[in-house]
Amino acid sequence: MFKYLFVSALLALTIVLSGCEETASKEAAQQLHQPIDVAEVLVKPVQNWHTYTTRLESPEEVALMPRISGVINHIDFIEGDKVSHGDLLFQLDGRPFEAIVSSLNAQVVSAKAAYEQAKSESKRAVKLAERNAISTEEVESRKSTLRQRAAQVAALEAQIVAAELDVEFASIRSPIDGVISRANITKGNNVIAGQSILTSIVSNKKMYAYFDIDERTWNQSFSDVTAESKQHVVMQKVGQKDFAYGGHIDFIDNRINPSTGTLRVRAVFEDDTNQLRTGSFARIKVAANAITEQIIVPARAIGTDLENNFILVVNADNVLQYRLVEVGERYGKLRAITSGLVEGDIIAVNGPARVGPGMTITPNNVTIDSDGIAFTLGSIDTTNLIAKY
C-alpha cells in the first residue's frame, strides 16, 4: 500500500513540474517575442542648421532731450503708446522765448530806421563830393556807417531766427516713428538743454539681430552669401518652442575680427505685429547652402553606450542587432544619421528602453512622422511665420 502511494505521489509531482516548465517556457517565449514598434528609416534632402544667440536691437532709438532749458507745461502722450514722427510729446513754457522774439523785432525796426538814415546820408555825401562840397574822408565815413547799419540789421535778423527756433523747440516733438517709454520728468519740472532725458523712443517696424559666425563655419557653409542674396533665417524668442519668426541677412561686416576669429552678421525681421522688443534674447537659426540626402530617424531611437551612439536594427529573422551610428543635425523630434545606417534599414523606433541586442521580437510596423518638419529652408511654410521675410 505504501509503495502504491509513493508511486502515485511521484507521478503527481512529475506532472506538476512538467506543467511549470511548460508555463515558464511559454512566458519566456512571450518575453522574447514581445511586440515592438519598428519602422523603415527615412531618406530626406537636408541642410545643416547653425544656431546663434543674440539680443534684438531697434534700428532707431532716441533718448529724447530738450534743445532748450525751461519748465514743462504739459505732457501730450500716453506712456507706452505708439507715436509718429512730428507728434507733440512735451510742451515747455514758451513765453520767455516769445518775449525775446518781440524784443528783437523791435530792435530790428530801430536798426532798419538807422540803416535807412545812413543810406540817405551816404547818397547825399556822394552828390556833395561831386561838387567838391565835402571831403573824401567824410564820404568814406558815411559809407562805413551805412555798412555798419546793414550789418546790425543782418545780425538782429539772425538773432530773431535763433529766437524763433527756441520758440519752436519749446514744443518737443517725436523725431521718429516708434513706441514711447514713460516720462522721466513730469509737469512743472525744469529741464536743461542737452542734459535732461525726458523719455526714450524705439522704432518698432523692424528689428535687427547681430550675431557672430566663426571663420571656419563661414568659409565652409556661407562663403557665397552676400547681403544682396538675403539669406533666410528663422528666430526663436526665449520661452518659445518654435522658431516662429522669419527674416533675412541684410548686413555682413567687411572684416574678420582677428581677436575672436568671427564675422559679424546682421539679420532683419519685419515686425508688423509689434511682438518684438529691443533688448530681447533670441536664438537665430541659419541653414547652410549645401543640400544633401541623409538618413532620418526619431531622436528617441538613438541609444548611448558610454561614448558611442547606437540604434537597434531589425534583421530578416526579427532579431535586434546593435549598430554603431554617427549622429547629425536635429530636425524637430527627428535626427539625421551621417553613418551607420543605409536606406531600407528597419529600426526599433523607441530605442533600447524595453529591448536589447539579440532579442527576437514581434515587429509592429509604423511610419516615422515627418509632417511639419523643415529639413531645408525651402520647406518652411512662410505663411505661418509671425514676422515674414
Side-chain angles (χ1 to χ4, degrees):
M1 180 66 181
F2 177 77
K3 182 178 181 181
Y4 173 77
L5 291 175
F6 177 77
V7 172
S8 298
L10 183 61
L11 180 60
L13 180 60
T14 303
I15 294 172
V16 171
L17 291 176
S18 177
C20 291
E21 289 178 0
E22 184 178 355
T23 301
S25 177
K26 289 181 179 180
E27 291 178 353
Q30 290 176 354
Q31 184 177 7
L32 291 174
H33 295 81
Q34 62 178 312
I36 295 296
D37 290 341
V38 301
E40 183 177 348
V41 298
L42 299 178
V43 179
K44 294 283 187 179
V46 299
Q47 289 174 293
N48 289 334
W49 294 85
H50 301 273
T51 304
Y52 302 94
T53 57
T54 183
R55 288 198 178 273
L56 299 182
E57 297 181 22
S58 175
E60 295 180 305
E61 185 170 350
V62 176
L64 192 64
M65 292 183 288
R67 298 187 181 185
I68 58 173
S69 299
V71 177
I72 298 176
N73 267 358
H74 54 85
I75 298 172
D76 294 275
F77 66 90
I78 299 174
E79 295 177 325
D81 205 359
K82 292 182 180 180
V83 296
S84 300
H85 176 266
D87 285 352
L88 179 63
L89 304 178
F90 294 86
Q91 181 63 57
L92 304 184
D93 186 357
R95 291 174 298 177
F97 310 106
E98 293 169 354
I100 293 174
V101 172
S102 298
S103 175
L104 289 172
N105 281 328
Q107 293 179 50
V108 167
V109 172
S110 175
K112 285 184 176 179
Y115 169 75
E116 291 298 329
Q117 181 180 357
K119 184 178 180 181
S120 176
E121 290 179 355
S122 178
K123 287 182 178 179
R124 189 164 50 250
V126 171
K127 290 181 180 180
L128 291 174
E130 292 175 351
R131 299 195 300 268
N132 294 322
I134 191 174
S135 66
T136 302
E137 289 81 1
E138 182 65 20
V139 173
E140 291 300 326
S141 176
R142 293 186 181 184
K143 288 182 178 181
S144 175
T145 301
L146 175 61
R147 290 192 292 269
Q148 291 176 20
R149 298 291 183 264
Q152 289 176 358
V153 171
L156 288 170
E157 288 178 340
Q159 291 180 46
I160 289 177
V161 172
E164 289 175 340
L165 283 175
D166 286 344
V167 172
E168 180 181 342
F169 293 154
S171 299
I172 302 174
R173 301 180 181 275
S174 175
I176 62 172
D177 297 336
V179 178
I180 194 166
S181 182
R182 67 181 184 88
N184 297 326
I185 304 176
T186 55
K187 177 181 176 179
N189 287 290
N190 188 67
V191 295
I192 302 174
Q195 296 185 25
S196 303
I197 299 179
L198 303 174
T199 187
S200 62
I201 308 170
V202 294
S203 61
N204 63 329
K205 294 298 182 183
K206 59 183 178 181
M207 285 290 165
Y208 287 156
Y210 289 90
F211 54 98
D212 297 321
I213 301 178
D214 66 272
E215 185 176 2
R216 180 185 297 276
T217 300
W218 179 265
N219 293 335
Q220 289 177 344
S221 303
F222 306 108
S223 59
D224 58 343
V225 173
T226 64
E228 290 74 19
S229 62
K230 296 185 176 181
Q231 179 82 357
H232 297 161
V233 302
V234 290
M235 181 181 69
Q236 173 195 60
K237 293 194 299 185
V238 64
Q240 292 183 329
K241 293 183 179 179
D242 299 325
F243 285 78
Y245 298 86
H248 65 268
I249 292 175
D250 75 328
F251 165 78
I252 301 169
D253 208 350
N254 59 2
R255 63 192 293 269
I256 299 289
N257 186 330
S259 300
T260 61
T262 58
L263 179 67
R264 175 58 59 92
V265 176
R266 182 181 71 198
V268 60
F269 298 86
E270 300 295 334
D271 185 23
D272 296 331
T273 59
N274 195 31
Q275 294 188 19
L276 301 179
R277 297 183 182 276
T278 183
S280 296
F281 179 84
R283 290 182 177 88
I284 302 290
K285 288 182 72 173
V286 190
N289 288 339
I291 298 178
T292 59
E293 286 196 344
Q294 291 186 8
I295 302 295
I296 303 295
V297 301
R300 66 179 185 274
I302 304 171
T304 57
D305 182 9
L306 297 178
E307 297 181 355
N308 299 319
N309 293 311
F310 69 91
I311 288 178
L312 297 177
V313 179
V314 184
N315 66 10
D317 298 323
N318 293 330
V319 176
L320 296 176
Q321 295 180 330
Y322 180 93
R323 187 79 61 85
L324 285 175
V325 295
E326 292 186 7
V327 178
E329 294 287 332
R330 178 183 290 274
Y331 302 93
K333 296 181 179 180
L334 305 181
R335 201 73 183 260
I337 301 299
T338 57
S339 69
L341 295 179
V342 296
E343 185 175 0
D345 278 344
I346 307 296
I347 64 170
V349 295
N350 293 315
R354 298 169 50 197
V355 292
M359 291 182 62
T360 302
I361 64 167
T362 299
N364 177 34
N365 293 312
V366 298
T367 302
I368 299 174
D369 184 13
S370 62
D371 291 341
I373 297 178
F375 295 99
T376 64
L377 273 175
S379 62
I380 295 178
D381 183 7
T382 60
T383 60
N384 295 325
L385 294 178
I386 297 174
K388 301 178 180 63
Y389 46 81

